[in-house]
């Protein structure tokens, strides 16, 4: 049986990937900061597969390496890494952007992804195998008004994904990115700092993607034969044509 480490497994896309992977008999290392949610999901899934939880903030590099070092032997061979933890914080024009929001997006979406990857890649290299999936975004392929630093962080994920493909090619490690458009999760609640009414309007008037849609695609990606690597994939809801062109019915 394979083992997957999923960051951001307490909510949204990461949580749905955990549930979908359990259906595919993939053992799970669930990561996030909200311990109670990790434990709840562990209880939900551990009748199907082995589940271990790691509670850490991806910004804290010592904690990242210590957490991955602490894995019990049966979880220490990580076959699949889902680099999913991340969020947008705020949505302002560049001239009025909040510096703490900028730090959060760069520190979590970019540096956090790098720390976790480094810790896991070392073991993948010694195993000469592994599969890394980086969750980018359509915001990593284009920019939109007031998206500035979030878009920059996801453009960085796109570049890191491509760089990993080059650097890890010699080790038999698969690397690919999934770039979703609008997925209804807690993403906009976080972006708008708990203004749930504003968050809801993002997904009004059309059928957004669900986190289960993305999990279904990720399960397909990780179950391809070894010689097949899905390297870069943009996924939109049908109503979406770009970050700003959405066919809303209201
Ligand atoms: P959610 O807000 O529902 O989930 C975000 C997850 O990231 C949570 O599990 C959260 O866990 C974790 N996380 C956030 N900050 C940290 C941190 N500092 N340390 C550790 N974990 C952290 O949003 P989504 O599921 O939508 O987002 C998942 C990924 O998908 C993100 O990278 C996002 O950018 C990307 N994405 C989302 C889209 C969308 O429309 N929703 C579209 C395209 C990409 P906890 O708070 O417990 O730490
Ligand atoms: C999340 C999608 O369009 O809000 O990455 O940036 S968007």
């Amino acid at each position: 049986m394979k083992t997957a480490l999923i960051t951001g497994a307490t909510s949204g896309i990461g949580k749905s990937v955990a549930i979908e992977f359990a259906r595919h008999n993939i053992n799970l290392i669930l990561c996030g900061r909200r311990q109670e949610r990790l434990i709840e999901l562990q209880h939900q899934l551990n009748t199907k597969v082995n589940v271990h939880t790691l509670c850490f903030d991806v910004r804290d590099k010592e904690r990242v390496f210590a957490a991955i070092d602490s894995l019990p032997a049966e979880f220490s061979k990580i076959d699949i890494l889902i680099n999913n933890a991340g969020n947008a914080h705020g949505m302002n024009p560049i001239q009025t952007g909040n510096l703490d929001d900028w730090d959060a997006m760069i520190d979590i979406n970019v540096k956090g992804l790098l720390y976790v990857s480094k810790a896991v890649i070392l073991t993948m290299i010694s195993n000469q195998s592994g599969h890394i999936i980086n969750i980018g975004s359509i915001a990593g392929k284009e920019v939109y008004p007031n998206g500035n630093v979030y878009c920059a962080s996801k453009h960085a994920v796109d570049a890191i994904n491509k760089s990993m493909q080059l650097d890890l090619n010699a080790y038999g490690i698969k690397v690919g990115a999934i770039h979703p458009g609008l997925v209804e999760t807690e993403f906009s609640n976080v972006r708008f700092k708990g203004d749930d009414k504003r968050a809801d309007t993002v997904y009004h008037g059309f059928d957004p993607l669900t986190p289960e849609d993305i999990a279904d695609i990720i399960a397909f990606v990780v179950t391809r034969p070894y010689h097949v690597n899905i390297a870069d994939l943009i996924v939109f809801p049908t109503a979406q044509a770009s970050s700003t062109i959405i066919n809303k019915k209201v």
Side-chain angles (χ1 to χ4, degrees):
M1 272 171 82
K2 290 192 170 174
T3 297
L5 185 148
I6 305 169
T7 66
T10 55
S11 167
I13 293 170
K15 181 177 179 183
S16 291
V17 171
I19 293 166
E20 189 60 25
F21 277 10
R23 277 200 205 106
H24 285 79
N25 290 317
I26 297 172
N27 292 325
L28 299 167
I29 303 163
L30 306 176
C31 307
R33 291 167 301 178
R34 285 170 287 182
Q35 172 80 358
E36 66 295 342
R37 290 197 184 195
L38 290 173
I39 299 297
E40 195 185 319
L41 191 57
Q42 180 179 36
H43 287 153
Q44 184 185 331
L45 300 178
N46 70 6
T47 52
K48 300 189 178 99
V49 293
N50 296 326
V51 184
H52 188 79
T53 63
L54 293 176
C55 186
F56 62 86
D57 187 323
V58 296
R59 283 173 287 199
D60 182 343
K61 55 167 126 34
E62 276 82 28
R63 278 285 300 133
V64 168
F65 283 91
I68 292 168
D69 262 7
S70 76
L71 284 169
E74 67 268 31
F75 288 96
S76 62
K77 183 177 177 292
I78 298 167
D79 303 288
I80 301 165
L81 167 61
I82 309 293
N83 269 326
N84 165 73
N87 276 115
H89 294 271
M91 194 175 177
N92 302 304
I94 196 92
Q95 62 275 19
T96 58
N98 176 298
L99 298 189
D100 291 334
D101 287 344
W102 291 1
D103 283 344
M105 290 184 277
I106 300 294
D107 290 349
I108 299 167
N109 303 355
V110 184
K111 291 164 71 181
L113 179 146
L114 285 168
Y115 301 152
V116 173
S117 300
K118 175 113 198 256
V120 173
I121 284 168
L122 294 177
T123 67
M124 285 182 171
I125 285 180
S126 63
N127 296 326
Q128 295 276 311
S129 76
H131 193 165
I132 300 171
I133 296 181
N134 297 306
I135 305 300
S137 169
I138 189 57
K141 297 291 190 181
E142 54 181 78
V143 293
Y144 54 86
N146 305 326
N148 44 66
V149 177
Y150 178 67
C151 294
S153 76
K154 289 298 181 177
H155 275 69
V157 173
D158 191 37
I160 292 165
N161 180 63
K162 290 173 185 153
S163 301
M164 284 182 178
Q165 284 168 1
L166 303 183
D167 296 348
L168 301 178
N169 172 267
Y171 301 100
I173 297 170
K174 291 194 199 188
V175 180
I178 313 286
H179 301 280
L182 291 160
V183 190
E184 189 165 10
T185 63
E186 294 176 19
F187 178 87
S188 291
N189 308 81
V190 174
R191 169 171 247 173
F192 300 126
K193 303 174 196 294
D195 183 345
D196 296 342
K197 249 185 160 169
R198 187 173 176 198
D200 284 349
T201 62
V202 175
Y203 309 106
H204 273 178
F206 72 108
D207 285 333
L209 293 167
T210 66
E212 292 80 14
D213 294 325
I214 303 301
D216 186 37
I217 290 163
I218 293 175
F220 176 82
V221 169
V222 301
T223 53
R224 292 313 85 207
Y226 177 70
H227 67 284
V228 179
N229 182 38
I230 296 174
D232 206 48
L233 196 59
I234 293 175
V235 187
F236 278 140
T238 302
Q240 184 173 14
S242 75
S243 288
T244 49
I245 298 178
I246 299 147
N247 184 14
K248 290 202 176 196
K249 298 298 182 199
V250 285

